[in-house]
Amino acid sequence: MTDSLSGKTAGSSLSVLVSANRTMPKLTTIVGINVMTAACCCRWSCWTPSKRVRIGPEARAMPQPHIRPAYARLDPAHAFDGLFVPTKGKPRGRLLVEPRRFGRLEIGFQGFEQLGADDQSILLALTAQLGIERLVIEATPVGPVSKQLRLALDFNRDEGAPLATKRTSLRSLLIDAGYRDPESGAALARAKKSLNRLRATQIREIDRETGWDRACNLISLSFNHKSGEIYVAANPRLTGAVFHGQHVRVSLFERNALETEVAKLLHCWLCSNIRLGRALGNGNGAHLDTLAPHVWGLVAWERFSASDRSKRRGQLRAALDEIAERTCGLQDGMGWAIDQTSSGLVLVGRPKVLPLLESEHETPPAGMYGLTSQSDREPSSLSDWTPN
């Protein structure tokens, strides 16, 4: 695709870092990151901006002081109960999250298929990447790709808000989403299905003060099935979170260390409700039956039989243990502090700082992975630039 995305950035424009140390040996990928490569990247001298790429007539390429941390800036509404639930091993029904109060708005979601933990992983990876490039589509885009992406969000009332956008690839998203086999046919097929479910999901906002009822798709895509190349745009709420509006931070390194659906979904909810260095419920904790609806959704939890609830309490206990055990290695033994009581009360404390890999290297998993996989040829235009 040779068309360019027309865009502006918030405070600065897209700068492409295209040169890196390419003498590093091929390494094993663990937790979505090449561990030894990360060890070689403690100094920014490994990253040399050798060329800037202009994207569209309005984009101004400016050098970035460093690569941003590997966490997703997620709009809190995108962590609502019931939006993402465990789906492994069972058919996905329709998605319906009834509008709930959120400030002066009421926000809800609906879609043809229920979203699962796999879809949440792709959305978080995408959001993290959008936060790095910081490119936006304006109200009146110039290029056809930009116009297509804006139209594909299917606004019922387009107020011209800027939309975060990025050119990426399936492989890049799969790496940041924690897949161990980002180039396998099965993983690529799952990513395509997740992207299709995300773009078929609508977010709805009802402003009780003005009376307006707005809706649009979660994301929009322009996808090349042959090359795996993707142009993507995010809805205005997600765009606002990416550009330092109200947001919660979800660590990709922590999430990618987890294995089970329940642990990943619970970790995301905990990140959305506990600030760094703080504790759940101001130190008072929460009961397992209070946490369960945040994983399976309140409607589903209320419909579970007594035996099903008992089974899911066991899954929650296992997920809490998994979060504590899998994240401590990223914090030199100081990961999430979780204490479970026999009565079902759970005390949860979040680490004061980001995981060590993030704090030191401040680059997303796909960026680390790409240090050993990029070719020596520098990009000359957007049409032949494939960053991952």
Side-chain angles (χ1 to χ4, degrees):
M1 188 176 297
T2 59
D3 176 56
S4 63
L5 287 173
S6 172
K8 292 182 179 178
T9 61
S12 65
S13 296
L14 173 64
S15 173
V16 182
L17 305 180
V18 296
S19 177
N21 185 344
R22 297 185 176 89
T23 62
M24 301 176 188
K26 186 174 181 180
L27 304 170
T28 302
T29 301
I30 301 177
V31 192
I33 183 171
N34 283 323
V35 175
M36 292 183 65
T37 303
C40 295
C41 295
C42 294
R43 297 185 300 274
W44 298 121
S45 57
C46 291
W47 288 88
T48 305
S50 59
K51 192 167 184 177
R52 300 172 186 172
V53 178
R54 290 186 181 275
I55 301 180
E58 299 179 353
R60 300 183 305 277
M62 299 175 65
Q64 294 180 1
H66 62 274
I67 301 173
R68 292 175 175 79
Y71 55 77
R73 293 177 179 270
L74 189 67
D75 167 51
H78 288 69
F80 275 5
D81 299 351
L83 179 56
F84 299 96
V85 302
T87 58
K88 188 176 181 180
K90 59 182 180 182
R92 300 178 188 242
R94 292 265 184 167
L95 169 67
L96 179 60
V97 178
E98 294 288 352
R100 53 175 281 193
R101 197 76 178 177
F102 192 78
R104 64 183 179 85
L105 303 173
E106 289 188 7
I107 300 176
F109 298 86
Q110 59 188 22
F112 292 105
E113 276 192 287
Q114 173 65 57
L115 300 178
D118 50 351
D119 306 317
Q120 189 182 67
S121 293
I122 293 294
L123 182 64
L124 290 171
L126 176 60
T127 305
Q129 292 187 11
L130 289 170
I132 293 172
E133 302 231 347
R134 303 177 62 75
L135 192 68
V136 301
I137 296 174
E138 296 291 355
T140 56
V142 177
V145 173
S146 299
K147 291 179 180 178
Q148 177 189 352
L149 288 173
R150 189 166 196 102
L151 287 173
L153 275 177
D154 196 22
F155 289 98
N156 69 345
R157 184 171 181 267
D158 190 350
E159 297 179 336
L163 308 173
T165 187
K166 187 186 189 300
R167 177 181 176 180
T168 185
S169 67
L170 285 176
R171 176 176 174 273
S172 173
L173 289 174
L174 285 167
I175 293 170
D176 284 348
Y179 282 73
R180 306 296 191 267
D181 53 348
E183 296 179 358
S184 71
L188 293 171
R190 290 185 66 185
K192 290 179 183 179
K193 290 181 179 179
S194 286
L195 287 169
N196 281 328
R197 282 191 290 266
L198 289 169
R199 71 174 172 180
T201 298
Q202 276 201 330
I203 178 172
R204 180 187 177 196
E205 285 185 349
I206 304 171
D207 191 326
R208 294 303 181 188
E209 293 182 3
T210 65
W212 286 110
D213 189 333
R214 299 180 292 267
C216 72
N217 294 337
L218 221 57
I219 62 172
S220 64
L221 299 170
S222 181
F223 184 59
N224 187 319
H225 287 274
K226 185 175 181 180
S227 66
E229 179 183 52
I230 306 168
Y231 288 87
V232 64
N235 70 71
R237 288 200 64 87
L238 207 52
T239 297
V242 167
F243 290 108
H244 301 286
Q246 184 181 11
H247 66 274
V248 296
R249 299 183 180 187
V250 182
S251 166
L252 296 186
F253 284 108
E254 288 181 349
R255 182 183 179 90
N256 293 352
L258 306 174
E259 293 290 342
T260 65
E261 285 185 306
V262 176
K264 291 181 178 182
L265 293 167
L266 181 58
H267 172 264
C268 185
W269 183 85
L270 292 172
C271 288
S272 70
N273 283 270
I274 307 175
R275 294 179 182 272
L276 289 170
R278 302 293 181 85
L280 180 63
N282 293 322
N284 296 318
H287 197 275
L288 288 174
D289 283 11
T290 302
L291 295 177
H294 302 312
V295 174
W296 285 277
L298 180 60
V299 174
W301 177 251
E302 290 178 342
R303 291 176 179 173
F304 288 149
S305 64
S307 60
D308 286 338
R309 289 192 179 193
S310 178
K311 177 182 178 181
R312 281 158 179 78
R313 290 188 192 103
Q315 292 177 337
L316 278 175
R317 287 189 179 277
L320 288 163
D321 288 339
E322 184 179 346
I323 293 171
E325 293 169 2
R326 295 294 185 95
T327 61
C328 67
L330 299 175
Q331 298 278 10
D332 286 338
M334 298 296 291
W336 287 75
I338 298 177
D339 183 22
Q340 301 187 52
T341 67
S342 58
S343 66
L345 180 66
V346 180
L347 303 177
V348 181
R350 190 176 184 183
K352 293 182 179 180
V353 296
L354 296 171
L356 180 63
L357 290 173
E358 283 183 29
S359 300
E360 288 189 357
H361 313 299
E362 298 194 7
T363 188
M368 295 289 193
Y369 192 98
L371 284 177
T372 58
S373 61
Q374 294 184 32
S375 65
D376 292 329
R377 181 175 64 88
E378 293 183 359
S380 59
S381 69
L382 180 64
S383 62
D384 64 1
W385 175 51
T386 304
N388 298 299

